[in-house]
């Protein structure tokens, strides 16, 4: 089973989804990429995942072009805001899905509020990807 998770920057939401899906079943090949890959991970995303025992610190922020020639069972987009464009994937895919989430890296306010957004989105990603895993893969 091969799953590609797409977002715009590939620094936060797609990385968390990648970490969760891989933690549910290490036998799945999971990759993540972005249409405008930032080249680095969001430090707060790495932190909130580490706090629940999932280390994504060694993930890389990759451009979607790296995966266009591969075959995928699922390609899942995770960008959620109406003002954000989700990437289109033109590679070889059996099923395309969209499971959207707010971008916590756009949160504005106190440090406490910003971190609360990272925790909220992390927990939403965990719940939705666990549901996806149980319904489509397990």
């Amino acid at each position: 089973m091969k799953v590609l998770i797409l977002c715009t920057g590939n620094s936060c939401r797609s990385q968390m989804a990648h970490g969760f899906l891989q933690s549910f079943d290490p036998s799945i090949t999971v990759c993540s990429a972005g249409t405008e890959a930032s080249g680095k991970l969001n430090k707060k995303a790495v932190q909130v995942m580490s706090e629940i025992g999932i280390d994504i610190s060694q993930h890389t922020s990759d451009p979607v072009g790296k995966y266009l020639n591969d075959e995928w069972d699922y390609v899942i987009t995770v960008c959620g805001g109406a003002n954000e464009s989700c990437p289109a994937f033109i590679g070889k895919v059996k099923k395309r899905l969209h499971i959207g989430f707010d971008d916590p890296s756009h949160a504005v306010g106190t440090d406490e509020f910003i971190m609360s957004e990272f925790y909220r989105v992390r927990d939403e990603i965990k719940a939705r990807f666990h549901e996806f895993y149980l319904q489509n893969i397990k």
Side-chain angles (χ1 to χ4, degrees):
M1 178 69 58
K2 289 181 65 178
V3 179
L4 177 63
I5 303 168
L6 295 180
C7 202
T8 304
N10 190 222
S11 66
C12 188
R13 293 165 291 176
S14 53
Q15 295 289 351
M16 289 192 280
H18 179 165
F20 278 122
L21 194 54
Q22 199 73 74
S23 77
F24 300 150
D25 189 339
S27 71
I28 302 169
T29 299
V30 183
C31 297
S32 60
T35 55
E36 300 170 20
S38 68
K40 61 184 192 280
L41 302 186
N42 182 296
K43 291 178 184 178
K44 288 179 175 68
V46 173
Q47 176 187 333
V48 299
M49 293 297 285
S50 176
E51 289 175 7
I52 58 169
I54 298 175
D55 181 9
I56 62 170
S57 65
Q58 300 305 308
H59 287 195
T60 57
S61 176
D62 298 321
V64 69
K66 177 177 179 178
Y67 300 106
L68 286 177
N69 293 324
D70 296 337
E71 293 188 22
W72 300 96
D73 294 296
Y74 289 92
V75 170
I76 304 170
T77 55
V78 294
C79 41
N83 295 327
E84 185 177 4
S85 62
C86 284
F89 186 79
I90 55 173
K92 301 169 193 144
V93 182
K94 291 180 183 172
K95 294 185 181 179
R96 300 170 202 268
L97 299 172
H98 175 71
I99 307 173
F101 304 95
D102 294 335
D103 188 345
S105 67
H106 290 167
V108 176
T110 64
D111 289 345
E112 184 178 79
F113 174 75
I114 292 168
M115 285 308 297
S116 74
E117 287 295 282
F118 274 87
Y119 291 124
R120 177 183 66 81
V121 172
R122 176 201 65 192
D123 295 346
E124 288 175 5
I125 290 171
K126 179 181 181 182
R128 300 273 311 278
F129 269 82
H130 192 252
E131 181 181 320
F132 161 78
Y133 172 72
L134 293 175
Q135 292 177 353
N136 297 283
I137 297 177
K138 187 167 183 183

